[in-house]
Amino acid sequence: YVLIDRKQIAAKDEYALFDKMYALEYGIESSSMEDLFCEWLRWKRDNTNVAGSTLRNYTYDWNKHFKNDAITQKSMKELTAKDFTHLFRKWSKSCQMTQKAFNNATTIINGLFAYAINELEIVNVNPIREIDMRQFPMMPVKAKQKVFTLGDRELILNHLKNKKEDGIDELYSLAIQFDFHVTLRIGELMALRWDNIQDNQIYVEYQRVRTTTMEDDGTFTSGRYENVDHIKGNTDLGYRWIPLTKAARTILKRVREINPDGEYIFMFNGKQIYNATFNEHLKSYCKDLGIRGAKDKSSHVIRFTVASVLYLKGMPLTDIQRLLVHTTLSMTLHYLRQILPEKNTAEMMEKL
């Protein structure tokens, strides 16, 4: 046997010991993050229920933040908290990285180390667990440019309620109006079925997603839309009942007249609505109405807005968290954006 860094390396004979030492130095035990990245993705694909789109996002984030960086080519067992602290400071020094992008990048690091520790058993600890992430300044969220104000919401709803449209255009108009009364993700909205409605509530149990598959070489097949019976977010709360307001029920009544025989609510001529077309209609309406930041508006911005309206109306944060299917309250707080104009805010503060 020999001692390396106070660790005993033993084998049955001299030749076996040489083989073991070679493997330690040049084999899998000296693997870098770069060596294991594609292997980790394949393992995730084959052993977990991870979506292909998530693996594709990991690949995108890897290429953007890690590819060709020296830290990814260093043996993982030699990486320290100091190494990653330097990397994170490089990312955050100009406050040009959002908190979401930072979280996505560290998810990859955590995943690689979990794989190296638990599956390969070549590393003992994850060094970034020692780092206080609060020391890294992130890009401030420009909330006002993203969210609809109360005035914007009222303007859109009144405009669409009175706007005469036909066929598929009317269905998209109704889908947008309905979305302003619920807290659904766009995939959940597209997959709503008529038999999900019961006693002025709607049950969320499906989402429509664009599937994609990762090949062994790390490339991805072009995906197709499918309705799946798993919900993004907190799995304990993902399948949930959402109350339907009077306005939401009125909208659905008109949708039923347009689509009396469809299995799914927002369906026209046998085809479900599309996320991209939904957002195109929304941006067009916002542009016509002169709403600020029209090109940035999307179904996700509507979700931010509904959460903020519910909070202003006095709904407890825990209830909003449940409706949004968030794992943590901090995630819910991120959704509660400023939707009141400055004048209204000033008037409210005057009353203190």
Side-chain angles (χ1 to χ4, degrees), residues 53 172 185-192 204-211 224-232 263-264 266-267 270-275:
S53 57
Y172 275 104
R185 297 183 175 92
I186 185 62
E188 295 169 344
L189 179 75
M190 294 190 293
L192 291 175
V204 183
E205 59 177 336
Y206 297 100
Q207 64 173 333
R208 188 162 177 80
V209 298
R210 186 161 191 149
T211 61
R224 66 181 187 277
Y225 279 103
E226 292 182 1
N227 299 303
V228 297
D229 61 353
H230 56 80
I231 302 297
K232 181 180 178 182
E263 177 183 4
Y264 296 92
F266 295 104
M267 172 180 272
K271 295 183 178 180
Q272 290 164 264
I273 62 173
Y274 288 95
N275 177 13

Side-chain angles (χ1 to χ4, degrees), residues 29 55 97 99 233 263 278:
E29 295 208 16
L55 297 177
M97 191 175 202
Q99 186 66 58
E263 177 183 4
F278 178 102

Side-chain angles (χ1 to χ4, degrees), residues 139-294:
M139 178 188 293
V141 176
K142 299 177 181 179
K144 284 181 60 179
Q145 295 182 10
K146 295 289 185 181
V147 77
F148 289 106
T149 67
L150 288 175
D152 291 339
R153 179 179 181 272
E154 183 178 359
L155 187 64
I156 293 171
L157 290 175
N158 287 336
H159 174 72
L160 296 183
K161 183 178 180 180
N162 297 313
K163 183 178 175 65
K164 178 62 177 175
E165 294 192 282
D166 298 306
I168 190 68
D169 290 330
E170 183 181 7
L171 186 67
Y172 275 104
S173 170
L174 291 166
I176 290 170
Q177 293 176 64
F178 182 78
D179 207 23
F180 271 106
H181 293 282
V182 290
T183 54
L184 296 171
R185 297 183 175 92
I186 185 62
E188 295 169 344
L189 179 75
M190 294 190 293
L192 291 175
R193 299 156 51 111
W194 288 113
D195 59 13
N196 291 140
I197 300 174
Q198 181 180 327
D199 298 329
N200 296 332
Q201 296 185 93
I202 193 160
Y203 187 61
V204 183
E205 59 177 336
Y206 297 100
Q207 64 173 333
R208 188 162 177 80
V209 298
R210 186 161 191 149
T211 61
T212 185
T213 303
M214 190 189 84
E215 304 295 341
D216 285 343
D217 63 359
T219 60
F220 293 86
T221 60
S222 56
R224 66 181 187 277
Y225 279 103
E226 292 182 1
N227 299 303
V228 297
D229 61 353
H230 56 80
I231 302 297
K232 181 180 178 182
N234 186 331
T235 54
D236 293 335
L237 303 176
Y239 303 100
R240 65 206 188 276
W241 288 98
I242 293 180
L244 294 174
T245 64
K246 182 179 179 180
R249 298 196 301 271
T250 300
I251 293 166
L252 291 180
K253 183 178 179 180
R254 175 55 187 156
V255 175
R256 187 58 129 169
E257 294 172 356
I258 299 173
N259 175 32
D261 303 316
E263 177 183 4
Y264 296 92
I265 293 175
F266 295 104
M267 172 180 272
F268 190 79
N269 289 340
K271 295 183 178 180
Q272 290 164 264
I273 62 173
Y274 288 95
N275 177 13
T277 312
F278 178 102
N279 287 329
E280 286 171 6
H281 277 73
L282 178 61
K283 294 175 195 294
S284 177
Y285 296 139
C286 291
K287 183 178 179 181
D288 292 344
L289 293 169
I291 292 175
R292 182 181 178 184

Side-chain angles (χ1 to χ4, degrees), residues 5-166:
D5 294 333
R6 294 183 294 179
K7 180 179 179 180
Q8 179 176 297
I9 310 299
K12 63 181 180 180
D13 56 42
E14 184 178 4
Y15 295 104
L17 182 60
F18 285 149
D19 288 341
K20 200 164 189 177
M21 292 175 64
Y22 182 88
L24 284 171
E25 185 65 26
Y26 301 107
I28 191 172
E29 295 208 16
S30 63
S31 295
S32 65
M33 291 170 61
E34 184 178 83
D35 294 332
L36 294 185
F37 179 69
C38 286
E39 180 181 327
W40 171 62
L41 291 184
R42 289 192 293 271
W43 179 85
K44 292 277 289 183
R45 178 197 64 187
D46 298 338
N47 295 279
T48 72
N49 64 350
V50 65
S53 57
T54 300
L55 297 177
R56 185 173 56 191
N57 290 339
Y58 287 156
T59 302
Y60 173 83
D61 289 332
W62 173 268
N63 291 334
K64 183 175 182 179
H65 302 298
F66 297 100
K67 193 172 183 179
N68 298 325
D69 194 292
I71 197 172
T72 67
Q73 298 165 35
K74 187 176 179 180
S75 173
M76 290 178 68
K77 64 184 180 183
E78 297 176 3
L79 290 172
T80 65
K82 186 176 181 179
D83 292 322
F84 285 106
T85 298
H86 289 162
L87 177 67
F88 298 160
R89 284 177 180 159
K90 181 172 69 174
W91 286 350
S92 63
K93 66 179 180 180
S94 300
C95 294
Q96 293 302 304
M97 191 175 202
T98 65
Q99 186 66 58
K100 182 177 180 180
F102 183 82
N103 291 345
N104 291 344
T106 54
T107 293
I108 293 174
I109 299 171
N110 286 325
L112 283 168
F113 270 93
Y115 178 63
I117 293 168
N118 301 320
E119 302 300 324
L120 302 181
E121 298 183 335
I122 60 173
V123 179
N124 294 321
V125 295
N126 179 352
I128 75 169
R129 299 294 188 191
E130 306 171 22
I131 303 173
D132 182 359
M133 300 299 185
R134 293 172 296 182
Q135 65 183 290
F136 308 113
M138 297 291 112
M139 178 188 293
V141 176
K142 299 177 181 179
K144 284 181 60 179
Q145 295 182 10
K146 295 289 185 181
V147 77
F148 289 106
T149 67
L150 288 175
D152 291 339
R153 179 179 181 272
E154 183 178 359
L155 187 64
I156 293 171
L157 290 175
N158 287 336
H159 174 72
L160 296 183
K161 183 178 180 180
N162 297 313
K163 183 178 175 65
K164 178 62 177 175
E165 294 192 282
D166 298 306

Side-chain angles (χ1 to χ4, degrees), residues 333-351:
L333 287 169
H334 174 65
Y335 267 60
L336 303 181
R337 304 300 184 83
Q338 172 60 41
I339 65 172
L340 291 172
E342 287 87 345
K343 181 180 178 182
N344 287 16
T345 304
E347 290 175 353
M348 292 173 69
M349 292 182 69
E350 285 290 344
K351 297 177 182 179

